[in-house]
Amino acid sequence: MLHLLEALSAHAQQWRHGYDLMKETGLLSGTLYPLLIRMTDQGLVEAEWREPEHPGRPARHAYRLTSAGVSFARMATPAGPMTFTKAAFA
């Protein structure tokens, strides 16, 4: 889930397709889509159907973090405010 949060929070307001998220995170579809569904049910991610960019292609779901998802990602991901490094203690 952390890889997915990092990928979504990198461009929090940008709509992302599942296939792009799979490529970026390395998660398989059997892991990615259940996570996206669960995160949508929890109010962390919003999903919508997007019309195809090219005629003849099917509509696809697109995903992005909600404001609650952005806040959660800041706290949960290694890049969030709770991260400590060796340099912080030097």
Side-chain angles (χ1 to χ4, degrees):
M1 182 172 166
L2 291 178
H3 292 301
L4 182 55
L5 281 172
E6 288 172 350
L8 287 168
S9 64
H11 304 283
Q13 296 303 313
Q14 180 180 348
W15 289 98
R16 307 284 306 274
H17 294 287
Y19 181 72
D20 298 329
L21 292 167
M22 283 177 25
K23 289 191 319 187
E24 184 173 339
T25 63
L27 295 172
L28 299 175
S29 61
T31 301
L32 176 72
Y33 290 106
L35 279 173
L36 287 168
I37 291 168
R38 202 169 313 132
M39 291 168 72
T40 300
D41 291 344
Q42 295 170 347
L44 301 174
V45 170
E46 59 182 323
E48 72 174 27
W49 282 103
R50 305 291 290 220
E51 290 299 318
E53 295 176 9
H54 304 288
R57 303 285 303 186
R60 302 191 298 173
H61 262 114
Y63 307 90
R64 69 178 177 186
L65 289 176
T66 62
S67 58
V70 170
S71 297
F72 182 77
R74 286 186 185 135
M75 297 304 294
T77 60
M82 299 302 288
T83 300
F84 296 102
T85 63
K86 289 182 183 179
F89 296 104

